[in-house]
Amino acid sequence: MLRRTLIASVLALAAAGAAHAATATVGQPAPAFTLTDTAGKTVRLADYRGRTVVLEWTNPGCPFVRKHYDSGNLPATQKGAQGQGVVWLAVNSTEKASADYLAPPQLAAWLQERKAAPTAVLMDEEGTVGRAYGARTTPHLYIVDPQGTLVYAGGIDSIPSARPADIDKATNYVKDALADVAAQRPIATATTQPYGCSIKYKAPA
């Protein structure tokens, strides 16, 4: 019962956060950014102009993130996307003071243990990029088309739970949206409700 209550609270908090206005807007140019990955390399969104890019907000301390990684769902989705030439950038906007924060080597190791396959894992401890996109939950997914336009924003799938058993029953919105982008057709479902844990942003100075 306690576990159910905690999960319900997390969902409610995430939904409340998602209600805030976001800077990034589907159908408009995706906000430019420059971040450092877990290996210390500088990564710019502009580096991938001409390719489809998925942005995935992540936090290993979140049970919803663990659901999709421990089950193999997110690694499989990442690999499927990369097989189509898609760039996948995982972004961690957890502030350093949070109990959920993992330093770059530990974050990279956690993902590697789960056979994750992002193109890069980006550190956004100041929360600048997360706030620019209006990212509110982990996971929270965005897709940028080859022209630099934000074409999808929302959840990874259609069942907002922390139960791995629900994955096979859910519609994977990211897979469907990537298929639409590849076919050069309008995305059938371009905006969905993200679900998960609230992002542990650094408090404004």
Side-chain angles (χ1 to χ4, degrees), residues 46-141:
D47 295 340
Y48 301 107
R49 190 63 182 261
R51 298 178 66 183
T52 299
V53 178
V54 174
L55 304 176
E56 171 215 339
W57 263 263
T58 191
N59 167 17
C62 173
F64 297 88
V65 171
R66 293 198 297 270
K67 161 193 171 179
H68 289 290
Y69 273 102
D70 291 346
S71 66
N73 184 47
L74 255 171
T77 303
Q78 292 166 347
K79 291 170 186 174
Q82 289 191 336
Q84 301 170 34
V86 173
V87 173
W88 192 293
L89 302 177
V91 183
N92 192 321
S93 295
T94 306
E95 68 159 321
K96 288 184 177 180
S98 171
D100 281 355
Y101 178 78
L102 290 181
Q106 284 72 45
L107 177 58
W110 188 89
L111 291 166
Q112 186 174 21
E113 286 169 2
R114 285 151 183 81
K115 297 179 172 59
T119 306
V121 183
L122 309 181
M123 304 303 295
D124 180 41
E125 296 101 328
E126 295 298 313
T128 306
V129 177
R131 288 191 172 97
Y133 276 81
R136 298 294 173 187
T137 64
T138 51
H140 197 157
L141 284 295

Side-chain angles (χ1 to χ4, degrees), residues 134-201:
R136 298 294 173 187
T137 64
T138 51
H140 197 157
L141 284 295
Y142 298 80
I143 299 175
V144 182
D145 74 8
Q147 289 72 49
T149 300
L150 187 66
V151 295
Y152 176 79
I156 184 172
D157 65 24
S158 61
I159 301 182
S161 83
R163 297 183 297 272
D166 288 333
I167 291 173
D168 288 341
K169 298 178 286 185
T171 298
N172 189 314
Y173 291 131
V174 176
K175 283 184 179 179
D176 286 356
L178 287 174
D180 287 338
V181 173
Q184 298 184 340
R185 60 182 176 242
I187 292 178
T189 308
T191 305
T192 66
Q193 181 68 44
Y195 69 89
C197 305
S198 61
I199 294 179
K200 310 307 185 288
Y201 280 119

